[in-house]
Amino acid sequence: MKRTSISIFGATGSVGKTALKIIRENKDKFKVNVLTSNTNVEKLVDLANEFNPFAVAIADESKIKILKEETASNDLIYFAGQGGIIEAASINSDITIAAIVGLAGLKPILESVKHGGNLCIANKESIVAAGEIIYRECEKYGTRIIPLDSEHNAIFQILEGNKDLEIRKIYLTASGGPFYNFSKEDLRKVRPEDAVKNPNWSMGRKISVDSATLMNKGLEIIEAKHLFKTDDDQIKVLIHRQSIAHGIVAFNNNALIGSFGKPDMIYPVRYALFWPNGQLEQREDIDINILNDLSFIEIDENNFIALKLARESVKRGNIYPIILNASNEVAVRSFLEERISFLDILVVVQESIEYVSKSIQIRSNHKMKVKDIFEVDNEARIKTDEIIEMRH
Ligand code: NAD
Ligand code: MG
């Protein structure tokens, strides 16, 4: 039987690792085509030597020599630099996994869409900033999108089984992050090493900080709007501390259908890689007790700055989600580099949105092009850096 070929963009990250675990356990079904990394050459070398891909790409060009020297295969194809990652995306694969963090993942996504296969997408920042363009391109080239983000994957599964029903509301569950009950005084003392630990999920550093500020859920509202083509008012956030319910959909026939499971990315990623067939082997016992004591709290989004900013951005559309994402990426990086405090993150994002939206004028009915997205993104990054510099 022909094996399914898979390209993984962001192979050395948390989502990449999960995907490779599934591939490792199913070597008879999957083969690795492309693996990419930003700077982590050691890990990329190990993965290349283990999975024997067709091509590898590293964004940090200074590492290409080590990559070449330490990979065992003679016929491996190498790419380097941000351009190299995009070139690697032009290699046809049955499945592309978009697991780069940040808008850095957008160009490889748009390139891979042109070359067929399913697009399994975790890279929410690209959907937030360029969801419409990604969908437009996918339609043009007949590419199918399968969400990997756990909530969106759960909702995708629910919708697949209920195609004839009309969606009334989509509920995104939020763990609330590690600091949900912290006072402002406690939040003031939060350090990067505290923020990168999530009580329920093991994830990369940026998304862990986003979970702690709740911006992750804000971005996910915008992500859901694009993925499920609903009005943003239909997307609601529920605080659900246990992270067992991943998505709930209310339909027009009053059915409330939820998807439950242990908080582990292995399930959504496995679902996506085996889609549409499901995976019949490797049945695991389901512990029904995980459903005990679940709680769901409908919140007033106005009390959570991140949700408020994301909600306003999605309502205004146009350049706003791009600015929201760019300023958040910059602010989170600055926090991780200890240039700003945890509480500064959202203050900086808010200031940046106000400032940049006044300085950039794009007609509200303008159909955004990729070039426009990067222009706005770049402007927002520069301004956010300036705002951070002034606070410093
Ligand atoms: P991570 O930091 O663990 O990994 C990021 C990957 O992207 C690494 O392989 C890194 O080398 C690569 N990368 C980073 N910057 C790059 C650049 N400029 N050019 C090329 N490659 C670059 O992140 P993660 O937690 O795996 O998250 C990846 C994406 O998936 C994010 O958008 C995140 O929001 C989303 N996501 C992650 C999880 C999770 O459980 N980790 C869950 C849902 C969604
Ligand atoms: Mg999520």
Side-chain angles (χ1 to χ4, degrees), residues 124 148-152 173 201 203 207 211 216-217 220 223 265:
K124 66 187 79 183
L148 290 184
D149 204 345
S150 58
E151 298 79 359
H152 304 72
T173 50
W201 297 93
M203 309 179 285
I207 185 177
S211 298
N216 183 48
K217 213 48 59 180
E220 288 184 356
E223 184 184 11
M265 283 300 285

Side-chain angles (χ1 to χ4, degrees), residues 269-310:
V269 179
R270 201 185 273 158
Y271 183 88
L273 295 192
F274 281 92
W275 187 87
N277 298 320
Q279 195 211 27
L280 301 175
E281 299 96 271
Q282 289 194 4
R283 262 185 226 124
E284 288 167 33
D285 274 341
I286 295 169
D287 178 7
I288 199 70
N289 291 309
I290 60 170
L291 298 181
N292 293 343
D293 304 321
L294 300 187
S295 60
F296 302 90
I297 305 163
E298 231 179 333
I299 49 168
D300 180 353
E301 287 182 7
N302 290 316
N303 295 333
F304 297 88
I305 306 171
L307 297 179
K308 197 166 156 262
L309 292 175

Side-chain angles (χ1 to χ4, degrees), residues 49-98:
N49 288 337
E50 178 185 352
F51 289 94
N52 201 15
F54 177 71
V56 285
I58 185 141
D60 180 350
E61 287 177 68
S62 69
K63 307 271 173 71
I64 187 69
K65 194 162 169 271
I66 308 176
L67 183 61
K68 283 185 175 170
E69 279 167 5
E70 297 191 10
T71 38
S73 161
N74 293 327
D75 45 12
L76 186 56
I77 296 173
Y78 298 91
F79 298 100
Q82 291 294 341
I85 306 270
I86 301 168
E87 274 185 83
S90 68
I91 294 170
N92 292 2
S93 282
D94 298 320
I95 294 177
T96 295
I97 299 181

